[in-house]
Amino acid sequence: MITEIEDYFTKGCGRCDKFGTPECVTRGWADGLTALRRICREMGLTETVKWGHPCYMHAGRNIVLIGALRGNFRMSFFKAALMKDPEGILERQGPNTQNPDVIRFDRNERVAELEPVLRAYLAEAMSYAEAGIVPERRTAEFDLPDELAEALDADPELAEGFHALTPGRQRSYVINLNGAKKTETRIARIAKFRPHILAGKGATER
């Protein structure tokens, strides 16, 4: 995965062998992704690279992540449970997502059309970061597999990331791990899932 921000906007995320080629999914959405980048930077957000994607921060907190898939590109909000979404444009990333947290774009021009709304949503998220406001944490009603509990005890960063997930996303990992009969398989899956958990994603989210 990339570690330099400019690489994302010129070559891609580095997660597959299409990196640096015209076939990389980021190339088809280059204008839209660049427009999202401009807006985030003009809003005063700090630009970083996390999990191979541009991540924008404010007041020490992750605010949004931007990325691209074959059929669309997107802006994903952290702490989405706080967002009011008056325009109704936030969508759930998947069936295990408890709160709508992503804005999808199926045309590069859509960013310009939504720019005033995007700026308002970013300002709202930034205000929560400045005030230190976080969503109310809900207790998950399920037991963790032993291997996951042990991994969380041994890895504070993973534990923080997992407990920050919505109950639905936590449940997606429990379901996936419980589907493996062997301890070795569960341990291997946890290692594979670590970047997803730290990115605030569920087990089935890309």
Side-chain angles (χ1 to χ4, degrees):
M1 292 187 293
I2 61 166
T3 57
E4 298 295 329
I5 189 68
E6 296 300 334
D7 284 344
Y8 186 85
F9 295 98
T10 58
K11 301 178 182 178
C13 66
R15 290 173 175 265
C16 71
D17 58 8
K18 293 183 175 60
F19 178 66
T21 72
E23 287 73 36
C24 176
V25 295
T26 62
R27 299 304 80 220
W29 305 116
D31 290 345
L33 292 168
T34 299
L36 288 178
R37 180 190 197 189
R38 173 184 58 79
I39 292 169
C40 288
R41 294 172 72 173
E42 288 178 357
M43 290 292 296
L45 292 164
T46 300
E47 186 176 59
T48 62
V49 176
K50 294 189 177 184
W51 314 289
H53 288 77
C55 180
Y56 295 87
M57 303 180 65
H58 185 68
R61 182 187 293 181
N62 295 329
I63 302 297
V64 290
L65 195 77
I66 65 175
L69 297 175
R70 184 67 60 188
N72 60 70
F73 62 105
R74 55 189 59 192
M75 173 183 280
S76 302
F77 283 80
F78 294 86
K79 312 296 185 190
L82 296 172
M83 300 298 293
K84 295 183 175 65
D85 191 21
E87 302 296 327
I89 59 174
L90 288 174
E91 302 178 39
R92 287 180 169 81
Q93 295 200 45
N96 293 313
T97 306
Q98 185 165 0
N99 298 292
D101 61 353
V102 64
I103 302 174
R104 293 186 175 94
F105 307 88
D106 57 7
R107 294 181 291 112
N108 285 313
E109 299 78 13
R110 185 63 173 153
V111 177
E113 295 168 2
L114 286 177
E115 183 165 344
V117 176
L118 298 177
R119 288 179 178 273
Y121 279 39
L122 289 171
E124 180 187 352
M126 292 167 70
S127 71
Y128 297 138
E130 291 169 2
I133 300 172
V134 296
E136 181 179 350
R137 183 172 294 174
R138 300 179 184 179
T139 303
E141 299 176 355
F142 46 78
D143 294 326
L144 300 181
D146 291 341
E147 296 83 358
L148 179 57
E150 292 172 3
L152 297 179
D153 287 342
D155 187 339
E157 185 179 15
L158 181 64
E160 181 179 358
F162 184 81
H163 292 305
L165 295 175
T166 63
R169 286 190 172 112
Q170 292 180 4
R171 188 177 294 106
S172 73
Y173 289 105
V174 172
I175 292 171
N176 186 287
L177 294 173
N178 283 338
K181 296 180 179 179
K182 296 183 178 180
T183 293
E184 311 89 80
T185 305
R186 292 184 179 184
I187 292 174
R189 288 186 183 183
I190 292 169
K192 180 181 178 181
F193 283 144
R194 189 177 190 277
H196 264 56
I197 293 172
L198 296 183
K201 297 180 178 181
T204 61
E205 295 176 81
R206 293 185 61 182

